[in-house]
Amino acid sequence: MDRRKVCALMVLWAMAHLSSPGYGLRALRRTTGGRRGSAGLTGQDANGVPLRRSKRGWMWNQFFLLEEYTGTDMQYVGKLHSDSDRGDGSVRYVLTGEGAGSLFKIDENSGDIHATKRLDREEKAYYILHAKAVNRFTNEALEGQSEFIIKIHDINDNEPRFTKDLYMARVPEMSDIGTSVIQVTATDADDATYGNSARVVYSILEGQPYFSVDPETGLIKTALPGMDREVKENYQVVIQAKDMAGQMGGLSGTTTVSITLSDVNDNPPRFSKTLYEFRVPESIELGSVVGLIRAMDADIGENAEMDYRIIGSDGPGMFDVSTNRSTQEGVIVLRKPLDFERKRQYSLRVQVENVHINPRFFSVGPFRDEASIKIIVEDVDEPPVFERASYIMEVKEDAARNTIIGSVSASDPDDKNSLVRYSIDRRTDMDRVFNIHAGNGSVFIFRELDREENAWHNISVTATEFNNPRQISRVPVYIRVLDVNDNAPTFATNYETFVCENAKANQRIQTVSATDPDEPLGGHRFFFSLAQEAAGKANFSVRDNKDNTAWILTRRNSYNSLQKSVYHVPVVISDGEFPMQSSTNTLTIRVCTCDREGNMKLCNAEALTARAGLSTGALVAILLCVIILLMIVVLFAALRRQRKKEPLIISKEDVRDNVVSYNDEGGGEEDTQAFDIGTLRNPEAIEESKQRRDIVPETFYPPVRRPVLPPTRDNNGDVRDFINQRLQDNDSDPTAPPYDSLATYAYEGNGSVAESLSSLESVTTDGDQDYNYLSEWGPRFKKLADMYGGDDTYKKLW
């Protein structure tokens, strides 16, 4: 069987038989071999080879489909057809690829392709599919698989959209025409390669005549010259973008552009007044603000910054002006003190000028302004003024009391020239060493001076107006006390001098010097000598070295500490000032035992004890033994004293926690050995003194007793009063124990509600009593009932 090639032809029926503009079938022709004998011989070539006419077919590769189809039926795409299809149903058409089976369906018998849904080009612009024809029964491919593309044809279904809903822009005020402001951009989702659906044109809807927009680029520019920020600062411009090249029927979108005019320095500063007037008191402090001036500038920010300066004044250096950068005000400050009595008014000329000037606007005029300022000084009641800022006075320390050492002077600077009263601030002169004349300001001595105690005195003098005591001024006065030679020189220190027993004659044993609290102008000069009373029998001599020191020398060869262990050498020290001052100072010299090189070994008492055979260590040991013995004696005495106070009841626990019980039964009424009933009835019968029963008796104190009435038959005292009486006695008893104790009193008392059951009491009754009720009390009272409840004969036996 001859091989056959089958050509597949896809016919695209676009809407009404492909009559719509823009639709067509793009096909590529291919040559295929026909069936044997199917083509007639038409001629031969140059070589004599017969020529055959080939059968030609068509192969498609692209179709177009409208987007957003709104019909009720499925949209027809095209048709697959194979030469092998003889209409007997043996050929089955198969479609695969993007959207096959879901978006696109094929009739496997006829090869018709339909779109099942509305397609949107903006979601997907084209679909790639594959088509083939197979034998329905054997599933064998009759045609090779062919690829084709379905492109979605765009329609104008999207309006232009701006990249921002609101644009913000700034442009300097007074800009020239055509100054660029901002560029806006709109995009259209439609196909820009097909028709004018995505061709956008810009136009301005609001904002004319101030601004314009380029229709192609969307660039906004100024359209009006001289736009002044001080007149209008903000503008709202509405821009429209329309597709279809702006033709009628095109879709459009809008956006708003907020344009703000930025400030430039096109306005000079101006004073609101040509003359400013300020009043200040003459007492105002230096650096204080006299007044504020302000120039107005319509600009803002750095374009409104300005500087103030004084260009003229009748009081040079009196005032200064600076700029407050936060408020742009000129601050006038006082630099020199004011005096109403000297000058009562000042005139200033002040200029203000912009800091940042734009050369474009020089033609507007000078960016500066001037104003005059008048400053009026007001009179104030001022305190007195001293002639000097401070005073220094000198006085000798031996000056007598009431000696005038100097004076101060102050006056009232006001026109009234009030009198001044002087005084010393006693907080600066607590000891009242000085005083001052209240009228003329003379300072004089009030107490004796001592330069060595205080060389300088710093006091404060006050001046007060007579008419207004609240006006006070002060001045410091420094008083220097001049030195007078009134102190005698003395030893510079306490010398500890010794001489060796084996010392040689004329041997130096000490070098002494002197000190003097006085301060002579030429410096100190001291003279040393031995006192006259010791010169005749001196064991030592004094040699003046002429340099404010002296040597102490021995006058014999040896010294004996047993004969004399200590020598007192009187040394006279005098100064060279006038009047001369001198003093006698005693130098104590001990005699010591030394080695051959002259080094001290033992001195004074140590030497004596050494010769007696006792060393320092032995003395210390003896002293320690004596101290230990004393401590043992004191400790023994303390223990013995404590043992005397030891309680009779000894327990490991506190006696207050012990309850001692006795289970011995008493002998009843017949037992008179246990207690003395007479003593209970007669408290006065108690011994004059009693002892504590819990400790060993140490000292005796007379008991304090209060007289009480003894309970009798007619005057039967209450047991409560009796016990309270004993309680008070125990509380006031100095021999009472320092802890709780239990005192028991066996006094029964009289007047019981149940009356007495005692036979002793029964015999004292005047009449017979009926005791038959005792038989009703039970078996415990049977014996009593038999004794008292019987016949009268039995009763009388008792």
Side-chain angles (χ1 to χ4, degrees):
M1 182 176 179
D2 297 335
R3 295 175 56 190
R4 289 188 350 179
K5 282 285 185 92
V6 180
C7 295
L9 177 65
M10 171 62 74
V11 180
L12 174 63
W13 303 92
M15 303 303 285
H17 300 288
L18 304 178
S19 60
S20 299
Y23 287 82
L25 175 63
R26 182 183 177 200
L28 294 177
R29 187 178 66 181
R30 71 177 180 179
T31 303
T32 61
R35 286 184 292 232
R36 185 177 299 175
S38 61
L41 181 64
T42 58
Q44 294 179 348
D45 58 9
N47 298 323
V49 178
L51 297 177
R52 292 179 178 272
R53 182 178 61 85
S54 300
K55 182 179 181 180
R56 292 178 296 178
W58 298 94
M59 187 183 74
W60 42 264
N61 70 343
Q62 185 168 327
F63 299 105
F64 290 92
L65 186 65
L66 283 175
E67 68 171 335
E68 302 296 343
Y69 174 69
T70 58
T72 57
D73 298 332
M74 289 189 297
Q75 189 176 3
Y76 184 74
V77 177
K79 184 180 181 63
L80 278 176
H81 183 72
S82 174
D83 291 343
S84 302
D85 187 0
R86 302 182 181 279
D88 56 359
S90 62
V91 178
R92 180 169 61 90
Y93 298 95
V94 179
L95 184 68
T96 59
E98 296 177 341
S102 58
L103 296 179
F104 304 100
K105 287 187 177 182
I106 187 171
D107 189 335
E108 62 181 12
N109 296 319
S110 62
D112 293 331
I113 301 174
H114 291 82
T116 62
K117 298 180 181 179
R118 293 175 57 185
L119 301 179
D120 189 355
R121 190 201 66 82
E122 286 71 36
E123 292 182 3
K124 190 172 181 61
Y126 62 90
Y127 297 85
I128 300 175
L129 293 99
H130 302 85
K132 64 181 179 178
V134 299
N135 188 292
R136 181 181 300 273
F137 305 105
T138 64
N139 207 27
E140 180 182 355
L142 303 178
E143 293 282 349
Q145 180 173 285
S146 180
E147 181 181 279
F148 66 94
I149 298 174
I150 300 178
K151 295 188 66 174
I152 309 302
H153 185 70
D154 182 48
I155 64 173
N156 190 18
D157 59 343
N158 292 279
E159 71 277 4
R161 293 182 180 274
F162 285 93
T163 57
K164 294 182 180 179
D165 294 333
L166 177 63
Y167 289 85
M168 305 293 294
R170 298 178 66 87
V171 63
E173 63 173 332
M174 311 299 291
S175 296
D176 297 333
I177 297 177
T179 301
S180 298
V181 180
I182 191 175
Q183 185 175 11
V184 295
T185 302
T187 59
D188 197 319
D190 293 326
D191 189 0
T193 63
Y194 178 77
N196 295 324
S197 298
R199 184 181 177 186
V200 178
V201 175
Y202 300 94
S203 61
I204 185 168
L205 300 181
E206 296 180 12
Q208 295 174 333
Y210 306 103
F211 301 95
S212 62
V213 63
D214 188 293
E216 298 293 334
T217 63
L219 179 63
I220 301 175
K221 302 178 181 179
T222 57
L224 192 66
M227 287 189 293
D228 194 353
R229 186 200 63 83
E230 288 74 31
V231 177
K232 185 176 182 180
E233 183 177 6
N234 297 308
Y235 295 85
Q236 297 293 327
V237 179
V238 179
I239 302 297
Q240 175 184 268
K242 190 174 183 180
D243 58 11
M244 298 299 292
Q247 298 176 7
M248 185 177 297
L251 303 178
S252 64
T254 60
T255 188
T256 301
V257 182
S258 178
I259 301 176
T260 301
L261 297 183
S262 59
D263 185 60
V264 296
N265 191 9
D266 59 340
N267 294 280
R270 290 289 180 262
F271 282 109
S272 58
K273 297 187 295 184
T274 58
L275 177 63
Y276 294 85
E277 183 176 307
F278 301 102
R279 293 180 175 270
V280 294
E282 61 175 336
S283 60
I284 187 173
E285 296 181 356
L286 297 181
S288 300
V289 177
V290 175
L292 301 175
I293 57 176
R294 184 174 183 180
M296 305 305 296
D297 193 328
D299 297 322
I300 60 174
E302 67 175 13
N303 296 316
E305 293 181 1
M306 53 191 97
D307 282 334
Y308 298 85
R309 65 174 181 270
I310 297 175
I311 59 177
S313 173
D314 58 357
M318 289 293 299
F319 303 94
D320 194 8
V321 62
S322 61
T323 304
N324 186 335
R325 291 302 176 190
S326 60
T327 62
Q328 297 302 318
E329 292 178 322
V331 183
I332 301 175
V333 180
L334 180 66
R335 291 304 180 195
K336 293 182 180 180
L338 299 175
D339 191 351
F340 174 81
E341 288 72 27
R342 296 177 58 185
K343 188 173 180 62
R344 304 186 179 186
Q345 180 176 311
Y346 293 88
S347 297
L348 307 176
R349 188 70 179 170
V350 178
Q351 183 185 82
V352 63
E353 184 177 11
N354 276 133
V355 177
H356 307 283
I357 300 177
N358 194 331
R360 287 181 54 200
F361 304 100
F362 278 154
S363 59
V364 178
F367 284 79
R368 66 176 66 92
D369 197 11
E370 296 180 1
S372 299
I373 300 175
K374 180 188 292 185
I375 300 175
I376 300 175
V377 181
E378 297 179 342
D379 188 24
V380 176
D381 190 5
E382 298 175 277
V385 178
F386 285 94
E387 292 181 353
R388 302 180 190 174
S390 62
Y391 292 85
I392 298 178
M393 303 178 184
E394 294 182 346
V395 59
K396 291 186 176 182
E397 62 177 325
D398 61 347
R401 292 181 57 183
N402 298 324
T403 300
I404 297 176
I405 60 176
S407 63
V408 298
S409 178
S411 60
D412 185 8
D414 299 324
D415 291 340
K416 57 186 179 181
N417 196 14
S418 176
L419 295 178
V420 176
R421 182 184 187 90
Y422 301 96
S423 62
I424 294 179
D425 187 352
R426 290 305 173 186
R427 293 174 296 180
T428 61
D429 186 22
M430 302 292 291
D431 297 332
R432 295 182 176 269
V433 180
F434 304 96
N435 207 345
I436 190 170
H437 192 281
N440 57 24
S442 299
V443 180
F444 56 90
I445 300 174
F446 199 63
R447 292 181 58 183
E448 294 181 355
L449 302 174
D450 188 359
R451 190 204 64 83
E452 289 72 31
E453 180 180 349
N454 199 346
W456 282 90
H457 295 268
N458 302 328
I459 64 175
S460 179
V461 177
T462 61
T464 309
E465 290 186 10
F466 271 102
N467 298 331
N468 188 2
R470 292 178 297 179
Q471 297 297 333
I472 302 175
S473 58
R474 303 173 183 272
V475 67
V477 178
Y478 309 106
I479 302 174
R480 179 184 180 186
V481 181
L482 301 178
D483 184 41
V484 174
N485 190 26
D486 57 348
N487 293 278
T490 59
F491 277 145
T493 184
N494 293 325
Y495 295 100
E496 295 183 358
T497 307
F498 70 93
V499 61
C500 295
E501 290 182 325
N502 56 357
K504 303 299 182 180
N506 204 28
Q507 179 180 341
R508 184 183 66 181
I509 61 174
Q510 184 68 58
T511 301
V512 296
S513 60
T515 183
D516 191 339
D518 294 326
E519 293 183 357
L521 297 178
H524 289 292
R525 176 68 180 93
F526 300 122
F527 301 93
F528 300 87
S529 63
L530 191 64
Q532 293 295 331
E533 62 271 14
K537 51 180 180 179
N539 293 294
F540 302 92
S541 62
V542 177
R543 178 185 297 178
D544 193 342
N545 297 323
K546 308 300 182 181
D547 60 354
N548 292 338
T549 64
W551 288 353
I552 307 300
L553 306 175
T554 59
R555 298 189 63 178
R556 61 183 188 179
N557 287 327
S558 63
Y559 297 85
N560 192 337
S561 60
L562 294 179
Q563 295 178 357
K564 190 171 184 179
S565 61
V566 178
Y567 290 90
H568 298 285
V569 180
V571 179
V572 177
I573 308 174
S574 59
D575 57 23
E577 301 299 320
F578 180 83
M580 180 179 292
Q581 301 288 339
S582 64
S583 65
T584 301
N585 300 264
T586 300
L587 179 66
T588 301
I589 302 176
R590 295 182 299 165
V591 180
C592 300
T593 302
C594 302
D595 57 15
R596 293 181 178 181
E597 286 77 18
N599 299 320
M600 181 183 64
K601 296 174 62 178
L602 298 174
C603 276
N604 296 341
E606 296 179 358
L608 294 177
T609 55
R611 293 187 180 184
L614 295 177
S615 63
T616 304
L619 291 175
V620 172
I622 293 173
L623 181 60
L624 289 176
C625 291
V626 172
I627 294 175
I628 293 173
L629 289 175
L630 289 177
M631 293 177 62
I632 292 174
V633 171
V634 172
L635 181 61
F636 179 76
L639 292 175
R640 188 171 183 178
R641 180 180 181 86
Q642 183 178 5
R643 189 178 302 170
K644 290 182 179 181
K645 296 183 180 181
E646 185 176 347
L648 297 177
I649 302 174
I650 300 176
S651 175
K652 293 182 179 180
E653 300 180 356
D654 195 340
V655 72
R656 290 171 291 181
D657 296 334
N658 296 320
V659 177
V660 181
S661 61
Y662 300 92
N663 297 324
D664 297 338
E665 185 176 354
E669 296 177 353
E670 297 179 356
D671 185 7
T672 60
Q673 300 298 324
F675 60 89
D676 187 359
I677 191 65
T679 302
L680 292 176
R681 290 185 177 277
N682 185 14
E684 295 298 330
I686 302 176
E687 298 85 2
E688 292 299 326
S689 64
K690 67 177 182 179
Q691 300 179 5
R692 290 179 56 178
R693 294 170 295 173
D694 57 343
I695 64 173
V696 179
E698 179 178 315
T699 56
F700 299 95
Y701 296 90
V704 179
R705 301 297 182 190
R706 295 179 177 84
V708 297
L709 294 176
T712 62
R713 181 173 181 176
D714 297 335
N715 184 15
N716 189 10
D718 194 346
V719 67
R720 181 177 58 187
D721 297 335
F722 177 81
I723 294 177
N724 287 338
Q725 181 72 38
R726 292 299 177 266
L727 180 61
Q728 293 180 8
D729 293 342
N730 277 277
D731 289 341
S732 60
D733 187 2
T735 64
Y739 41 79
D740 296 339
S741 61
L742 179 63
T744 304
Y745 301 95
Y747 173 62
E748 181 180 349
N750 294 329
S752 175
V753 177
E755 297 184 353
S756 177
L757 299 178
S758 175
S759 60
L760 297 176
E761 184 66 22
S762 300
V763 298
T764 61
T765 58
D766 295 336
D768 297 334
Q769 297 185 17
D770 184 9
Y771 296 101
N772 293 328
Y773 62 86
L774 293 176
S775 60
E776 300 176 0
W777 285 10
R780 293 187 179 183
F781 295 89
K782 184 177 183 303
K783 185 173 181 62
L784 291 176
D786 294 341
M787 294 173 59
Y788 290 95
D791 53 13
D792 295 340
T793 304
Y794 187 80
K795 294 179 183 179
K796 291 179 180 179
L797 294 176
W798 288 86

